[in-house]
């Protein structure tokens, strides 16, 4: 589980930079601050909501309070999180508009 967590953390760190560049590129200078604030706020809401939701999924999926039951709940929460990330990547790929040249 540690290698998967490490890879996920590094991937998340790399994608945050791309997310911020995408959120602020092509905007006039006077709108850069607002775009950065909105992008950062969406990340903070995701962190604030993601932790308790994933904890609830892990707790709900635990079959027992033994180590095996707890790990089963954690694996379920990680699988749900992975599915959400893949769904987000898919929808971003499908619906992100390419810039048009004038």
């Amino acid at each position: 589980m540690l290698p998967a967590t490490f890879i996920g953390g590094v991937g998340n760190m790399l994608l945050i930079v791309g997310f911020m560049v995408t959120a602020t590129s092509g905007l006039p200078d006077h709108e850069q601050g607002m775009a950065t604030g909105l992008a950062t706020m969406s990340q903070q809401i995701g962190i604030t909501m993601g932790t308790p939701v994933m904890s609830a999924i892990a707790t709900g999926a635990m079959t027992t309070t033994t180590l095996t039951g707890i790990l089963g709940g954690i694996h379920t929460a990680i699988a749900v999180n992975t599915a959400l990330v893949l769904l987000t990547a898919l929808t971003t790929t499908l619906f992100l508009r390419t810039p048009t040249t004038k």
Side-chain angles (χ1 to χ4, degrees), residues 23-24 26-38:
T24 58
L27 294 175
D29 289 341
H30 68 279
E31 292 180 1
Q32 292 284 329
M34 181 179 64
T36 302
L38 289 171

Side-chain angles (χ1 to χ4, degrees), residues 68-83:
T68 305
I70 293 170
L71 283 176
I74 291 171
H75 287 150
T76 302
I78 290 172
V80 169
N81 194 19
T82 301

Side-chain angles (χ1 to χ4, degrees), residues 1-100:
M1 220 163 100
L2 186 59
T5 304
F6 175 76
I7 291 168
V10 170
N12 188 21
M13 179 182 62
L14 294 173
L15 288 175
I16 286 174
V17 173
F19 172 71
M20 282 298 180
V21 169
T22 302
T24 58
S25 64
L27 294 175
D29 289 341
H30 68 279
E31 292 180 1
Q32 292 284 329
M34 181 179 64
T36 302
L38 289 171
T40 303
M41 182 184 68
S42 69
Q43 287 177 340
Q44 295 300 318
I45 290 172
I47 292 168
T48 302
M49 296 300 296
T51 301
V53 168
M54 289 301 133
S55 295
I57 290 170
T59 303
M62 287 182 197
T63 54
T64 63
T65 56
T66 63
L67 182 59
T68 305
I70 293 170
L71 283 176
I74 291 171
H75 287 150
T76 302
I78 290 172
V80 169
N81 194 19
T82 301
L84 288 172
V85 169
L86 291 174
L87 179 66
T88 302
L90 178 66
T91 56
T92 301
T93 302
L94 291 174
F95 297 111
L96 188 63
R97 289 185 260 163
T98 56
T100 57

